[in-house]
Amino acid sequence: MIENMLLIGISDEFIDELIDKIGYDRVLNLACNYEKVKKNRDLLKSFGIKDIDNLMIKRSHLFLEEPEILLKKFSQFNIPVVVELINDDVNVIDEIINYK
């Protein structure tokens, strides 16, 4: 099942790093939901977020959100400005996700 992570387009090395940093169970959860994870990775990349791998390590739960919900949360803001802030500090994404 973990091999589903390869369908997202990430390397074996990054899968190993994810397991080391966030744990096997969380990576397995991501692998079981690989289609949603891939859509969210692609969506965040399309916004211009540069270090998706780092974001995946630090905020793996984001990649399990419904892509439509993630898009709706981002669309409440000026996306280029927010992306620039996230590229400087990934912690900014918490404010976007938690915004009502």
Side-chain angles (χ1 to χ4, degrees), residues 10-71:
I10 60 177
S11 68
D12 285 323
E13 293 80 19
F14 183 61
I15 294 170
D16 292 339
E17 182 179 354
L18 274 173
I19 292 170
D20 288 343
K21 298 211 173 159
I22 68 173
Y24 182 85
D25 290 342
R26 287 178 115 183
V27 176
L28 183 59
N29 192 14
L30 292 169
C32 290
N33 294 285
Y34 73 92
E35 291 173 335
K36 187 183 299 181
V37 173
K38 179 163 179 26
K39 285 180 185 177
N40 285 332
R41 280 180 63 94
D42 292 345
L43 178 65
L44 294 170
K45 282 181 186 177
S46 76
F47 290 155
I49 295 176
K50 294 177 183 172
D51 198 354
I52 299 292
D53 290 349
N54 185 39
L55 188 59
M56 198 167 191
I57 290 168
K58 293 187 175 190
R59 303 293 188 275
S60 63
H61 64 280
L62 291 178
F63 294 88
L64 296 172
E65 286 276 351
E66 291 298 324
E68 297 78 21
I69 291 173
L70 203 55
L71 179 59

Side-chain angles (χ1 to χ4, degrees), residues 73-99:
K73 289 181 184 252
F74 268 84
S75 67
Q76 297 177 51
F77 299 90
N78 182 328
I79 293 176
V81 171
V82 167
V83 166
E84 186 176 326
L85 293 170
I86 292 169
N87 285 336
D88 289 339
D89 178 7
V90 295
N91 295 315
V92 172
I93 204 162
D94 295 336
E95 295 178 35
I96 293 151
I97 300 305
N98 296 326
Y99 186 77

